[in-house]
Amino acid sequence: MTIRVWLAIMMALGLTGWWLSPLSPRVPPLPMHVDADAARICRMPPRVPRGGLPLQTAPPRGVAAFRLAGAKVEPLAGFSVEARVLAREDYHVGPDTVFSPTDLALGWGRMRDDAVLAKLRISQSDRWYHYRWQGDPPLPLDEITRSSANMHMIPADERIAARLHDVRPGDRVRIDGWLVQIETNNGWKWTSSLRRDDSGGGACELVYVCELVSE
């Protein structure tokens, strides 16, 4: 194979990766079919105070489970968070991507500070959020756990999907919606954490996003 052919292949792969990445101008379609009823039930939870900690409340009254892409979605709690985006990762393979194509690692409290984040190396993979440091950690480990989380985003409509597409690490965002559980007909289940102080398996929030504002 000639060098010219290799270069053409590498250029094609690079362009494909760029087109599928959040840096491309492409606004990806909704990751699931939005049923007519689901589009109307996005009732806003109480909003987190400016600069406050994530606010979890009871689900909006009168909102029952609904269906997305043939799966049952059960609201577990109202949720509002004002945070800094520490990292984002898009996913294209797996049953979870039918509902949530993007994870955002979010930080609040002192996990929004430049001086703290400069001492952390933050990454995401396989629906997990990772952080490393050299020497002493910039914050106590329990504070890092309480002040950051990896969250799976489920955009409620095309408007939210487009806004989610534009979110970048370093942005400050407010997200309002619900923490949910998803269960498919074949028994596969995906359940949100309902705590901010947990870590490890099951500690990520699964967020049905009704509003997303970059600040």
Side-chain angles (χ1 to χ4, degrees), residues 32-40 66-71 156 208:
M32 85 298 280
H33 170 67
V34 177
D35 296 339
D37 287 344
R40 293 196 298 267
F66 57 96
R67 300 195 71 80
L68 291 177
Y208 185 80

Side-chain angles (χ1 to χ4, degrees), residues 114-170:
D114 289 335
V116 170
L117 298 179
K119 297 179 181 179
L120 291 172
R121 182 178 177 184
I122 293 171
S123 62
Q124 291 167 290
S125 64
D126 299 325
R127 296 289 188 175
W128 289 72
Y129 151 53
H130 313 278
Y131 45 84
R132 298 181 178 88
W133 60 87
Q134 292 185 340
D136 295 327
L139 295 175
L141 292 183
D142 62 343
E143 184 176 353
I144 294 177
T145 299
R146 294 194 315 269
S147 303
S148 63
N150 188 62
M151 302 193 184
H152 313 306
M153 301 287 115
I154 305 173
D157 55 33
E158 290 89 346
R159 177 179 61 90
I160 298 301
R163 290 185 179 180
L164 181 61
H165 173 270
D166 292 336
V167 170
R168 298 289 180 270

Side-chain angles (χ1 to χ4, degrees), residues 45-79:
R47 181 177 296 178
V48 62
R50 182 78 176 180
L53 299 179
L55 180 62
Q56 181 173 309
T57 54
R61 294 184 60 184
V63 175
F66 57 96
R67 300 195 71 80
L68 291 177
K72 177 184 176 183
V73 180
E74 181 181 355
L76 303 177
F79 187 64

